[in-house]
Amino acid sequence: MLSSGFNLCNLPPWVIASRHFNDNPHPLEVQGVRPANRFLFKKLDGIASAEERGTVFNDYMSVKFQLHHWQAQQTDTARKSLKNSYLRYLRGWMMDSNSVEGAVLKGWVESRMGIVPTFHKARIGGIQSESYYTYVMDRTAGSKRTNAINSQLDILYEFCQYELARRMAGERWITLYRGTFDAGDYDVVEELGKREKIVRFNNLVSFTSVEERAWEFGFTVWEIRAPLSKIFFFNDLLPNSIMKGEGEYLVIGGEYRVRQIMCTI
């Protein structure tokens, strides 16, 4: 897994991306985000309902980044900058992870976790490659579309971690599944057995918590045990989720132990 050599996290990139981290995960924090937004998290502590906490989060983001003022802006560029919030980028990822919105989310992982993407429209062989340049161009174009998108995504990730700690107290992992038609295109780091291997995933990857759903996306379905600390977003995090009912999770990538699920149909 390519790493940028620096990040804004409490652990170095090579640790976060390693199989050893996944076997023995630790909390991840983006530097300064919790302290800078302590008012939000203190308020959330007193709310029992997950749906209400999600509403409070959305309201907080709207006020902090003035997202609700987009219609009052004097220019079309300014209006679009505020209107295109973190929700727009999540929707863009769901439509196409190789879109400019997808490049922005991958760029957030690269800048915060230090893990460089391995695929965006094409395989990325290194930071000097043409495919990496294409990704950077998309990331730059997408970032210009809104107000402080990386800062918005910082708070989104920390809120996700806060919610997982409350909803899954005492847990460190969640079992997830990914279906693919292109299993041969993935980097296999090590073969562990007939149905188990170490696979290197992109720096941000979609999984589902529903095995049956994974079969809709390919003839090969892999099962992983994902550390909760590497969950960037999940479908039930926010009220009126754009992925409601799909069991989808966005997971920070790296090297994962995968087990191939056999089709029983």
Side-chain angles (χ1 to χ4, degrees):
M1 174 66 66
L2 297 170
S3 68
S4 63
F6 65 92
N7 62 10
L8 296 177
C9 199
N10 58 318
L11 290 174
W14 62 269
V15 171
I16 301 171
S18 72
R19 74 186 79 171
H20 309 293
F21 178 91
N22 295 339
D23 291 340
N24 185 30
H26 296 274
L28 297 175
E29 297 179 6
V30 180
Q31 293 177 4
V33 177
R34 286 283 183 109
N37 298 276
R38 55 187 176 277
F39 171 80
L40 168 64
F41 293 101
K42 183 177 181 179
K43 185 172 184 178
L44 294 174
D45 286 341
I47 302 175
S49 165
E51 183 170 0
E52 185 178 347
R53 291 195 298 269
T55 299
V56 168
F57 171 80
N58 281 334
D59 290 345
Y60 177 84
M61 295 289 279
S62 180
V63 172
K64 182 177 181 69
F65 295 101
Q66 301 184 351
L67 302 177
H68 58 307
H69 288 159
W70 68 271
Q71 289 178 312
Q73 302 305 305
Q74 295 183 354
T75 67
D76 184 58
T77 299
R79 284 191 291 272
K80 288 182 178 179
S81 177
L82 294 181
K83 186 178 181 181
N84 294 333
S85 71
Y86 56 100
L87 296 173
R88 156 70 184 271
Y89 290 81
L90 292 171
R91 293 189 186 98
W93 174 278
M94 300 311 153
M95 295 295 294
D96 181 7
S97 62
N98 289 307
S99 61
V100 293
E101 293 86 359
V104 169
L105 296 187
K106 294 169 189 173
W108 179 86
V109 176
E110 180 179 0
S111 66
R112 271 45 179 173
M113 303 295 167
I115 305 173
V116 177
T118 58
F119 192 94
H120 183 74
K121 296 182 179 177
R123 182 184 291 269
I124 298 175
I127 60 174
Q128 305 298 328
S129 64
E130 183 176 344
S131 53
Y132 183 80
Y133 177 75
T134 298
Y135 147 72
V136 169
M137 293 297 292
D138 278 356
R139 184 186 68 191
T140 302
S143 297
K144 292 191 298 185
R145 292 183 176 181
T146 196
N147 178 33
I149 185 58
N150 279 335
S151 295
Q152 292 184 39
L153 297 177
D154 287 344
I155 305 174
L156 177 66
Y157 169 74
E158 292 292 351
F159 175 63
C160 177
Q161 290 299 301
Y162 175 91
E163 279 296 306
L164 288 170
R166 289 195 65 167
R167 300 189 198 188
M168 302 179 65
E171 299 293 329
R172 299 173 70 190
W173 298 273
I174 183 172
T175 300
L176 298 174
Y177 306 89
R178 179 174 175 82
T180 178
F181 290 107
D182 304 310
D185 291 340
Y186 286 79
D187 292 329
V188 176
V189 178
E190 184 180 349
E191 295 281 356
L192 302 177
K194 186 175 181 180
R195 293 169 54 198
E196 295 189 13
K197 60 187 70 177
I198 303 293
V199 172
R200 181 179 292 118
F201 287 108
N202 207 349
N203 70 345
L204 189 65
V205 197
S206 291
F207 287 88
T208 177
S209 59
V210 183
E211 180 184 336
E212 292 77 9
R213 172 76 175 164
W215 287 106
E216 299 176 16
F217 295 93
F219 302 127
T220 299
V221 170
W222 285 324
E223 175 189 279
I224 70 163
R225 195 167 65 149
L228 295 184
S229 57
K230 293 180 77 171
I231 304 298
F232 171 71
F233 183 81
F234 61 97
N235 64 298
D236 290 325
L237 179 62
L238 301 174
N240 302 316
S241 174
I242 56 178
M243 300 181 292
K244 184 69 73 175
E246 295 187 356
E248 187 155 2
Y249 285 71
L250 299 190
V251 182
I252 296 166
E255 296 181 358
Y256 281 83
R257 297 177 186 269
V258 306
R259 183 174 72 91
Q260 186 173 343
I261 303 298
M262 303 305 294
C263 182
T264 58
I265 299 177

